Amino acid sequence: MTKLNLFFLLLALALAFCSAGTKGSGSSEDYEKMMGKKGKKDSSVSMSASESSSEDVESSSEDVETSSEDMESSSEDMESASEDTESETVAPVATEVTEPETAAPVATEPETNTIVDVADALGFETLLELVVQAGLADLLADNGPFTVFAPSEDAFAALGEETLLELLGNEDALRNTLSYHVVPGVLFSDDLPSEGFVATSQGASIVVRSSVDGVIINDMANVIMADVEADNGVIHVIDNVLMPPVLPVDDD
């Protein structure tokens, strides 16, 4: 081979190499452009996907918040329902009440308030002792009506022990004296005469004088407590014992 041929061969190889280098460079740029476009496209797709995912997350968050609000509302409804249930009053259950058996009433005697009962309540022990001794207790308790001029305890004390013993030793004299203090019928203080005679159960009369100053019997015994009512009459308390005009004489 000649030098000239060798020169041309080398020149051809150089041109071929340059041509190949140029094509390779263009191919590299095309590749880079293609990759750049693909990168941009992938980046756009990735950004779009990211934005879509973010929107999905926000939507999910909103859904969670809505669900939370719904749960809170449901909780409030349940609390309200619970309060309504507590405020409702429970209707009382009707129960049968068994009435206790009542015992049959026992027959009791009615309380009495006779002249004897009233004299006992007033504390007239001496008078009642003499009434019983004279056998007049049943008369003054079961009969009537009567008006009794009842001597007080002080009146019998003023009479003296000797006189009392004489009366206790003579039943007729005792009965006569006590009957002289009893008037048949009911005479309240307003019914007594201003001055006059009032017949007694003994047979003799007592002299009655009444005024604004009070009532006096036989000019010796003052009425110190008037109009004490009883079931069978009325009592006027006097401060002296009345003695009948004539005492019975004992044959013994």
Side-chain angles (χ1 to χ4, degrees), residues 167 173 176-178 180-181 202 204 218 241-248:
L167 291 174
N176 195 47
T177 300
L178 294 178
Y180 189 60
H181 292 77
Q202 186 265 351
N218 288 353
V241 178
L242 302 176
M243 301 303 293
V246 179
L247 292 176

Side-chain angles (χ1 to χ4, degrees), residues 114-135:
T114 66
I115 289 174
V116 174
D117 295 325
V118 173
D120 184 34
L122 292 173
F124 292 167
E125 296 179 3
T126 304
L127 175 61
L128 290 177
E129 182 181 351
L130 296 177
V131 166
V132 172
Q133 186 72 24

Side-chain angles (χ1 to χ4, degrees), residues 38 78 90-91 94 98 102 109 117 123 144 151 174 178 206 208 214 244 251:
K38 183 177 179 182
M78 290 178 66
V90 179
T98 304
T102 57
E109 296 182 359
D117 295 325
L174 179 59
L178 294 178
I206 56 175
V208 178
D251 295 338

Side-chain angles (χ1 to χ4, degrees), residues 91-97:
V93 179
T95 56
E96 294 182 0
V97 178

Side-chain angles (χ1 to χ4, degrees), residues 51-67:
E51 290 176 357
S52 176
S53 176
S54 177
E55 289 177 356
D56 292 340
V57 171
E58 291 178 357
S59 175
S60 177
S61 177
E62 290 177 356
D63 291 341
V64 170
E65 291 178 356
T66 303
S67 177

